[in-house]
Amino acid sequence: MEFSTLPLFLIINFLLLTPFPLPHAVDTISFTTLGRSSYAFDIFALPTASPSQEVRLTFGDSVNFNGHFPPPQSTPFPTHLIYVTERNGSSQIFLNVFDYTTRGRGSSRSALELSTDSSRSEIRLIGEQETNGRISMKDRPSLAGADLIYISTHQDPGKPRSSWTAVYSTGLTTGLTRRLTPPGIADYSPAVSPSGALTAVASYGEKGWSGDVEELATDLYVFSTRDGSGRVKIVEHGGWPSWADESTLYFHRRCGDGWWSVFSASFDIVGGKIDAASVVTRRVTPPGLHAFTPAASAANKSFIAVATRRPGSEYRHIELYDVVLNKFFELTRPISPSAHHLNPFISPDSGWVGYHKCRGEANDGVGKGNDLVIENVRSQLPGLSLLRVDGSFPSYSPDGERVAYVQFPGVYVMNRDGSGIREVSKLYAFATSWDWKRKGVVYTSAGPDFSSESTKVDIVSINVDDEDLSHNYKTLTKGGANNAFPSPSPDGKWVVFRSGRSGHKNLYIMDALNGEEGGLYRLTEGPWSDTMCNWSPDGEWIVFASDRENPGGGSFEMFKIHPNGTGLQKVIQSGTGGRTNHPWFSPDGKQIVFTSDYAGVSAEPISNPHHYQPYGEIFVINADGSGLQRLTHNSFEDGTPTWSPKYIGPTTNAEWPYGGSKCQFEDCHWLNIFPNQASKRQCAAAK
Ligand SMILES: *[C@@H]1O[C@H](CO)[C@@H](O)[C@H](O)[C@H]1NC(C)=O
Ligand SMILES: *[C@@H]1O[C@H](CO)[C@@H](O)[C@H](O)[C@H]1NC(C)=O
Ligand SMILES: *[C@@H]1O[C@H](CO)[C@@H](O)[C@H](O)[C@H]1NC(C)=O
């Protein structure tokens, strides 16, 4: 066919889609997200009057969470649902519409009750385009008229260890997006008042994140939903606001007596403005159980919905709390006792309570988790594909064909397309790296992770092609003084690793074939911790994390040094108390990928399952310390990134051969602590 006979739009498409060589290399980075494969969340709802028929409101696909019923428009029924979905590798906001007209018009039963998969449709409200084409996390959406109010993380406040979360408003008819949070400030958990006029958030204000990973040290602020103006702090110490009416909201805080409890704050509005001096706060839920993430309803102010953790139960459940009778009514435990239920929300008619939990046939909530062993994650950088591997410490063989990873306890190898998964060692190990010259040789450190200098950890080399698992490895270090994070030199002769043998964790280099016995050199020396080292593919540099600027202070910066011990340079400063961990060189040695708390925490941790380091996100930086870029956006712990020597296209989703994970995860560990119930300590009801 002649080019000129093609319709014009096809020619344009052809020109746009032709893969011209990009100005830079095409690359692939893989990383892991802890716990993510266990999340198979859907949004469900229960009628408050007869909570026996649970209805699923999302489609049993992807990870769907943090729902909201917008105020009714044309029907008296809560027939719309807004929620966050993590599909096709990025966070998006969707609207589900429940069309009951074919079955239920005139019926007194609600659309939710009558809805079936075929009577619902889903509409994408927000994707990348509303955030100027930038990938970001989206969270806690709600509607104020035709404006969608939500959290996004697409703007870098430019300060290390500051959260990128801010509230935005996007007009659903105009497509215009505006930021409601002041520049440089992080806001969490926005809630729009019943009239839509006011938005409440949890925020650090000017003080910023101090490293908290349990309860965030946030205060509550209220501002005008229209333009963010009139911002006023109404409560010191609190999170997760929810409005009962224009001058009352509920929120949670961890009390002085140790219990997470729900509080109310009410205030006067004078001359159209909140009178901050009039705010009265009151503890609503009693000690004796944890109650958090409250949801209030303007239609019936006599109850709120909360998530609870009760002593004797390891599961998080949704309950109603009658604020007149001061009584709890359990909603979800009688229906699915052995499942976690998160982040309740109430329909505008107060007839339904929504929440998210694991989907699954069985109501035990254990169902099936994510099927993917390799999941494509949307990448901001042209030419870079980002792959989430469902295993820790992934690393690629030099030919790019195979991936090693660990899944405690055991070391595994698979083909780069996710096929051929095989256990290659039963050792309890962490970190993996491949020898550049000897085919099928993988280094790892065997022993417990996150341990002291004297812990028994040794470096082993594993021949992954040897079928006999009991004899396919060789221990290279002696003494077990926490010898870990091996990374071989590209000439195949040496391995750099960290060791606690001097009483401090420093870097050493040993013979790759015969280990310490073949030769051992000390690379760094000092009363601090040097760790997580990676040898550049051109052999010139070793990059590592170190707390040498403030030993024991908890702050890890990234440094690089020549293998002969010269040329020490700092690549990035983390900020006070900050972490830049697990650095890994790009194949051309010009960039380094790593995990960091540079972008703070992106959601109130209590609104998620447990994450040890909820701040973990993946970043790249040029090896000279310039050009920092954030690659991942979510509220989970992303870690242990690696660079593939070969490009793997961004369409590489690979399924686990035997079905993948179960939908099973742990609730926030600190909620397992039930303070002494007899404690009579008052919970400060600060103004
Ligand atoms: C996700 O990807 C599938 C397959 O490429 C596509 O059909 C679907 O429209 C995408 N969904 C969204 C929300 O982008
Ligand atoms: C409001 O909720 C309370 C507690 O669940 C219930 O007893 C009452 O009937 C409700 N009132 C209305 C008007 O729905
Ligand atoms: C150390 O190694 C670097 C990089 O290979 C090299 O440029 C430098 O000359 C070496 N210095 C010494 C003293 O050998």
Side-chain angles (χ1 to χ4, degrees):
M1 188 187 285
E2 285 289 305
F3 208 54
S4 59
T5 64
L6 288 168
L8 183 62
F9 74 90
L10 275 186
I11 293 173
I12 291 169
N13 270 339
F14 178 78
L15 292 175
L16 287 174
L17 297 176
T18 305
F20 292 116
L22 290 159
H24 45 78
V26 283
D27 277 303
T28 297
I29 286 170
S30 293
F31 65 101
T32 193
T33 303
L34 271 84
R36 175 57 164 61
S37 62
S38 305
Y39 308 158
F41 293 145
D42 263 319
I43 296 176
F44 293 80
L46 274 170
T48 48
S50 55
S52 55
Q53 278 299 312
E54 190 179 58
V55 185
R56 180 162 58 85
L57 303 181
T58 47
F59 287 73
D61 192 17
S62 173
V63 183
N64 305 301
F65 58 98
N66 287 357
H68 170 75
F69 290 124
Q73 272 128 29
S74 49
T75 78
F77 299 116
T79 51
H80 302 82
L81 169 77
I82 295 178
Y83 60 101
V84 184
T85 185
E86 286 182 356
R87 61 183 81 188
N88 292 20
S90 68
S91 174
Q92 304 172 28
I93 295 173
F94 265 59
L95 171 75
N96 281 10
V97 178
F98 305 96
D99 175 14
Y100 62 96
T101 50
T102 50
R103 299 180 60 199
R105 190 176 283 287
S107 159
S108 61
R109 303 178 71 199
S110 89
L112 291 187
E113 225 173 327
L114 294 166
S115 73
T116 60
D117 279 356
S118 61
S119 67
R120 310 173 203 176
S121 47
E122 50 177 28
I123 301 161
R124 174 170 145 168
L125 293 182
I126 291 269
E128 278 95 74
Q129 68 274 33
E130 288 77 13
T131 47
N132 300 324
R134 301 187 58 189
I135 311 280
S136 78
M137 188 190 89
K138 318 279 191 312
D139 203 12
R140 237 194 147 194
S142 56
L143 262 188
D147 291 332
L148 188 69
I149 310 299
Y150 58 100
I151 290 284
S152 174
T153 54
H154 64 280
Q155 283 178 313
D156 179 358
K159 261 196 325 218
R161 306 190 82 221
S162 309
S163 174
W164 296 24
T165 57
V167 181
Y168 294 82
S169 153
T170 296
L172 294 181
T173 48
T174 61
L176 292 179
T177 295
R178 73 152 77 195
R179 179 177 169 124
L180 302 181
T181 301
I185 302 284
D187 283 345
Y188 299 92
S189 314
V192 173
S193 69
S195 76
L198 299 174
T199 295
V201 292
S203 178
Y204 287 111
E206 303 286 340
K207 65 186 176 211
W209 183 54
S210 65
D212 26 313
V213 293
E214 296 183 5
E215 183 186 20
L216 301 188
T218 53
D219 304 322
L220 298 186
Y221 289 77
V222 173
F223 52 77
S224 161
T225 308
R226 187 166 27 85
D227 56 6
S229 64
R231 186 176 169 106
V232 52
K233 176 151 101 175
I234 58 157
V235 171
E236 188 112 7
H237 182 190
W240 205 265
S242 178
W243 296 83
D245 57 43
E246 296 301 308
S247 60
T248 311
L249 39 80
Y250 289 85
F251 62 96
H252 62 207
R253 73 162 60 128
R254 182 154 54 184
C255 285
D257 62 11
W259 295 102
W260 282 81
S261 294
V262 171
F263 282 68
S264 67
S266 46
F267 40 83
D268 300 333
I269 296 186
V270 179
K273 285 192 172 144
I274 292 175
D275 175 10
S278 70
V279 180
V280 176
T281 61
R282 190 172 64 83
R283 185 180 191 162
V284 174
T285 59
L289 77 172
H290 295 305
F292 45 94
T293 55
S297 155
N300 188 338
K301 289 194 268 184
S302 68
F303 74 89
I304 56 173
V306 295
T308 62
R309 280 292 306 280
R310 287 178 176 271
S313 166
E314 59 187 279
Y315 291 100
R316 185 189 291 204
H317 281 292
I318 307 302
E319 306 193 28
L320 300 184
Y321 185 74
D322 190 313
V323 298
V324 180
L325 303 174
N326 293 323
K327 265 181 79 173
F328 284 99
F329 295 90
E330 292 188 284
L331 275 187
T332 58
R333 197 185 54 84
I335 292 167
S336 45
S338 311
H340 295 292
H341 301 71
L342 289 86
N343 303 355
F345 53 102
I346 304 179
S347 64
D349 66 359
S350 82
W352 291 81
V353 173
Y355 46 86
H356 63 268
K357 70 165 196 176
C358 283
R359 57 179 157 262
E361 291 311 309
N363 265 340
D364 59 6
V366 171
K368 226 160 88 51
N370 193 349
D371 288 342
L372 299 179
V373 59
I374 301 175
E375 178 184 9
N376 171 48
V377 172
R378 293 293 305 280
S379 151
Q380 204 101 271
L381 306 183
L384 177 78
S385 60
L386 254 186
L387 303 176
R388 174 184 276 145
V389 173
D390 189 14
S392 291
F393 297 101
S395 71
Y396 287 86
S397 57
D399 62 5
E401 292 301 325
R402 294 195 281 182
V403 191
Y405 63 93
V406 298
Q407 226 166 35
F408 305 121
V411 182
Y412 294 79
V413 168
M414 64 183 168
N415 299 325
R416 66 178 199 164
D417 65 1
S419 66
I421 294 172
R422 210 158 52 80
E423 184 180 55
V424 296
S425 171
K426 294 190 182 300
L427 292 169
Y428 189 99
F430 60 98
T432 68
S433 58
W434 294 71
D435 192 279
W436 291 89
K437 299 287 183 200
R438 289 183 295 145
K439 194 163 183 290
V441 172
V442 167
Y443 300 91
T444 187
S445 24
D449 52 355
F450 293 109
S451 302
S452 74
E453 281 77 359
S454 59
T455 309
K456 180 147 179 53
V457 181
D458 272 306
I459 290 173
V460 301
S461 61
I462 301 173
N463 181 344
V464 306
D465 295 324
D466 192 334
E467 295 297 327
D468 179 2
L469 291 193
S470 56
H471 289 103
N472 71 340
Y473 73 90
K474 180 170 172 180
T475 305
L476 300 180
T477 49
K478 291 189 288 195
N482 212 335
N483 301 302
F485 295 109
S487 178
S489 62
D491 63 8
K493 294 193 172 128
W494 307 102
V495 171
V496 64
F497 63 103
R498 77 106 200 268
S499 174
R501 60 190 64 206
S502 71
H504 300 287
K505 290 173 182 166
N506 290 143
L507 303 186
Y508 297 78
I509 293 175
M510 68 179 163
D511 185 87
L513 196 58
N514 298 311
E516 280 187 35
E517 281 179 5
L520 178 73
Y521 307 92
R522 186 169 188 161
L523 180 61
T524 64
E525 181 165 2
W528 52 66
S529 285
D530 300 319
T531 185
M532 302 175 184
C533 35
N534 180 255
W535 207 312
S536 68
D538 62 9
E540 290 288 300
W541 293 101
I542 288 161
V543 65
F544 60 101
S546 176
D547 70 351
R548 55 179 59 213
E549 293 192 335
N550 180 15
S555 190
F556 279 80
E557 328 295 340
M558 196 201 298
F559 292 84
K560 61 179 186 177
I561 191 169
H562 288 308
N564 62 13
T566 66
L568 180 75
Q569 278 176 36
K570 182 155 65 180
V571 180
I572 183 172
Q573 175 75 35
S574 308
T576 311
R579 285 139 198 267
T580 49
N581 287 338
H582 300 294
W584 197 287
F585 274 107
S586 62
D588 64 5
K590 292 193 171 126
Q591 286 179 295
I592 296 162
V593 64
F594 61 102
T595 182
S596 175
D597 63 357
Y598 181 85
V601 170
S602 296
E604 287 191 52
I606 200 169
S607 67
N608 275 320
H610 189 75
H611 283 268
Y612 291 94
Q613 304 180 345
Y615 45 73
E617 298 286 344
I618 309 298
F619 293 80
V620 281
I621 194 167
N622 295 328
D624 66 4
S626 67
L628 180 71
Q629 281 179 291
R630 178 175 179 172
L631 298 184
T632 58
H633 290 261
N634 58 58
S635 56
F636 314 133
E637 177 179 349
D638 300 318
T640 63
T642 189
W643 219 300
S644 166
K646 266 198 192 155
Y647 180 63
I648 306 170
T651 51
T652 321
N653 278 340
E655 291 193 2
W656 276 106
Y658 310 111
S661 309
K662 281 196 160 168
C663 194
Q664 231 175 353
F665 56 88
E666 288 178 24
D667 202 1
C668 298
H669 288 182
W670 66 91
L671 289 172
N672 298 338
I673 297 164
F674 299 111
N676 179 3
Q677 291 185 59
S679 164
K680 288 279 184 286
R681 264 178 73 193
Q682 275 304 302
C683 187
K687 253 201 157 184

